[in-house]
């Protein structure tokens, strides 16, 4: 296990807003940003679009994420292919993966449903670590708000897996 490298990742899923209630479906984007804790820097980034098998990208989802059905049609690949690329380019079981919240469970559930092996075993929920470090155990805080609280500039459009993973990596470098 390489404890000097953490792969921060963020998922975007098909999503809908019906009568004010948000729901999500299959993964359509995985953003990754790897940090080197010894060097204290982001060393690698990637963005993968995933072609859903059952869901479609809604207008609400396009407005939220900027991901269009055309982009998925042209650049999307099956989740199994994206997972293979993740393992090849970032390492699998030998790396620690981290997200804000429980994206590991979302990924694990979809991998199980599609008969795909989970690409990693070790996982850190950076939201939980942040709340513990800053004594906020009974209070929830979003990724962007946590970053702003530490005066870390947010870069790019929120709800892009690529952008969110990069910003998460910047936050992780501060709190780990």
């Amino acid at each position: 296990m390489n404890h000097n490298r953490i792969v921060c990742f963020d998922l975007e899923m098909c999503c809908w807003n019906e009568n004010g209630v948000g729901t999500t479906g299959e993964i359509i984007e995985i953003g990754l940003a790897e940090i080197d804790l010894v060097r204290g820097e982001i060393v690698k980034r990637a963005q993968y679009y995933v072609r859903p098998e059952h869901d479609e990208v809604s207008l609400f989802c396009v407005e939220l994420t900027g991901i269009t059905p055309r982009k998925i049609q042209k650049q999307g690949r099956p989740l199994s292919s994206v997972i293979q690329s993740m393992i090849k380019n970032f390492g699998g079981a030998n790396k620690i993966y981290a997200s804000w919240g429980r994206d590991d469970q979302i990924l694990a559930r979809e991998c199980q449903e599609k008969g795909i092996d989970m690409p990693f075993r070790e996982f850190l929920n950076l939201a939980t670590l942040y709340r513990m470090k800053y004594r906020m155990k009974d209070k929830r805080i979003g990724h962007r708000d946590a970053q702003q609280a530490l005066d870390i500039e947010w870069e790019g459009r929120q709800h892009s897996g690529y952008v969110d993973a990069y910003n998460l990596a910047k936050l992780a470098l501060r709190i780990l």
Side-chain angles (χ1 to χ4, degrees), residues 34-96:
E34 185 171 342
I35 59 174
D36 183 319
L37 294 173
V38 174
R39 291 170 37 193
E41 63 187 27
I42 298 166
V43 294
K44 190 184 307 184
R45 295 175 69 186
Q47 175 180 45
Y48 301 107
Y49 290 107
V50 181
R51 187 177 306 123
E53 294 178 11
H54 307 289
D55 293 333
E56 293 183 12
V57 179
S58 69
L59 180 58
F60 171 78
C61 191
V62 171
E63 291 170 355
L64 182 68
T65 67
I67 301 170
T68 64
R70 182 170 169 78
K71 185 172 282 191
I72 292 297
Q73 182 182 27
K74 291 183 87 168
Q75 297 178 33
R77 298 184 289 148
L79 181 61
S80 60
S81 173
V82 168
I83 296 293
Q84 289 173 349
S85 293
M86 284 173 57
I87 292 169
K88 178 182 175 191
N89 296 318
F90 289 87
N94 65 327
K95 292 279 181 71
I96 299 169

Side-chain angles (χ1 to χ4, degrees), residues 110-125:
E110 192 163 330
C111 282
Q112 183 177 17
E113 289 170 0
K114 295 179 178 178
I116 303 166
D117 290 333
M118 187 69 169
F120 55 85
R121 290 188 193 94
E122 294 291 328
F123 173 76
L124 295 173
N125 180 342

